[in-house]
Amino acid sequence: MAETLFVSDLHLDEDRPQIIRGFRHFLEDRAPEAEALYILGDLFEYWIGDDDPAAPFEPVMASLRDLGQRIPVYFLAGNRDFLAGSGFAERSGCQLLDEPVALDLYGTPTLLMHGDTLCTDDRDYLALRARLRDPGWQERFLARPLSERRQEARALRAESHRAQVAKATAITDVNPEAVAATFRQHGVDRLIHGHTHRPAIHRGDVDGRPVERVVLGDWYTQGSLLECTPAGCRLTPWGCR
Ligand SMILES: [Mn+2]
């Protein structure tokens, strides 16, 4: 079927087994109808390195591998799973992409991102991001025992929750200038991203050119899909029980 599916911000966590089940159901029963699936980051609540057995996710890996035998499954990292590398790719069968990804989606030039780099008003977050993406930091982090890494990831997560609550909503949303600059720089008509957990399809214009910004939803209490066909894109919930 001429349809491409997008998901992001699943934040898979063993504490939310119903979401893991719902996602597997999606991978097995819904996704094979499409011609491709893109996962736009934050598949996991946190990913501390490919050497972590991450046993609670093995069923998800198996479902991803099966799906990958039928259609291409692409993964672009988010701010929670930027350490997912070739080991993850091998285990999941996902093809890793570096953001931003430009593609022709049924005739519409489209750009894919996780979305965190569009939140340029959140200076503290961008400073943290620069620190965590530093190859030296990553090398030192990956050299530490798994238990310490897990503890650190949980501490970072707790800190991020505290910071989110304390910040004004506008600060943690995308910056309109950064969005316009992204459209200009890449010359696309559509931008698809997640990260902010504020699902919507925003239509506007950049320099008089009509553009569309699609924001994917998270999978905290239910699933969220973006279905794109030659006729356009549609956000739709996905049940998780
Ligand atoms: Mn994110």
Side-chain angles (χ1 to χ4, degrees):
M1 180 158 125
E3 177 195 48
T4 300
L5 295 174
F6 299 85
V7 295
S8 79
D9 302 284
L10 293 100
H11 290 266
L12 296 182
D13 188 325
E14 57 183 310
D15 293 344
R16 287 190 290 274
Q18 77 283 9
I19 300 296
I20 295 180
R21 274 198 304 276
F23 184 49
R24 291 191 64 206
H25 175 202
F26 161 75
L27 293 173
E28 289 164 15
D29 298 345
R30 174 67 181 86
E33 295 168 12
E35 35 183 29
L37 169 66
Y38 288 83
I39 301 169
L40 300 188
D42 290 358
L43 172 60
F44 301 104
E45 180 68 359
Y46 53 83
W47 188 259
I48 57 173
D50 291 351
D51 56 330
D52 181 2
F57 304 127
E58 185 44 39
V60 170
M61 299 291 184
S63 300
L64 281 168
R65 281 195 302 272
D66 288 349
L67 180 63
Q69 301 286 319
R70 303 170 71 171
I71 64 167
V73 181
Y74 301 103
F75 170 87
L76 169 164
N79 53 301
R80 298 299 191 87
D81 46 17
F82 58 89
L83 289 173
S86 56
F88 162 75
E90 208 168 301
R91 205 171 146 195
S92 65
C94 289
Q95 302 177 45
L96 302 192
L97 301 174
D98 284 323
E99 70 168 351
V101 175
L103 78 158
D104 179 312
L105 192 58
Y106 306 116
T108 302
T110 299
L111 194 74
L112 312 178
M113 302 174 82
H114 177 59
D116 53 331
T117 53
L118 297 169
C119 302
T120 54
D121 294 327
D122 196 345
R123 303 270 171 197
D124 305 338
Y125 168 70
L126 288 180
L128 174 67
R129 185 182 197 277
R131 187 160 71 84
L132 302 185
R133 299 296 177 110
D134 174 65
W137 182 90
Q138 295 191 4
E139 200 181 310
R140 288 191 299 277
F141 183 78
L142 291 171
R144 291 163 62 188
L146 283 170
S147 58
E148 276 182 29
R149 278 184 260 165
R150 194 166 290 113
Q151 218 170 4
E152 169 89 17
R154 287 189 179 135
L156 281 169
R157 179 177 61 168
E159 179 52 41
S160 136
H161 278 298
R162 271 194 298 277
Q164 285 284 332
V165 172
K167 282 173 198 163
T169 308
I171 303 248
T172 53
D173 203 351
V174 298
N175 172 289
E177 289 309 314
V179 169
T182 301
F183 275 111
R184 272 186 208 111
Q185 184 189 344
H186 296 276
V188 291
D189 296 340
R190 183 195 281 133
L191 171 59
I192 302 176
H193 71 84
H195 182 68
T196 60
H197 302 196
R198 296 170 203 188
I201 299 184
H202 301 274
R203 294 194 174 89
D205 74 277
V206 171
D207 308 330
R209 192 162 48 86
V211 296
E212 183 178 75
R213 181 171 66 92
V214 182
V215 188
L216 304 177
D218 65 61
W219 286 56
Y220 278 134
T221 54
Q222 63 168 353
S224 175
L225 316 177
L226 178 70
E227 306 165 336
C228 292
T229 69
C233 293
R234 198 169 76 102
L235 282 164
T236 183
W238 177 260
C240 294
R241 282 178 304 273

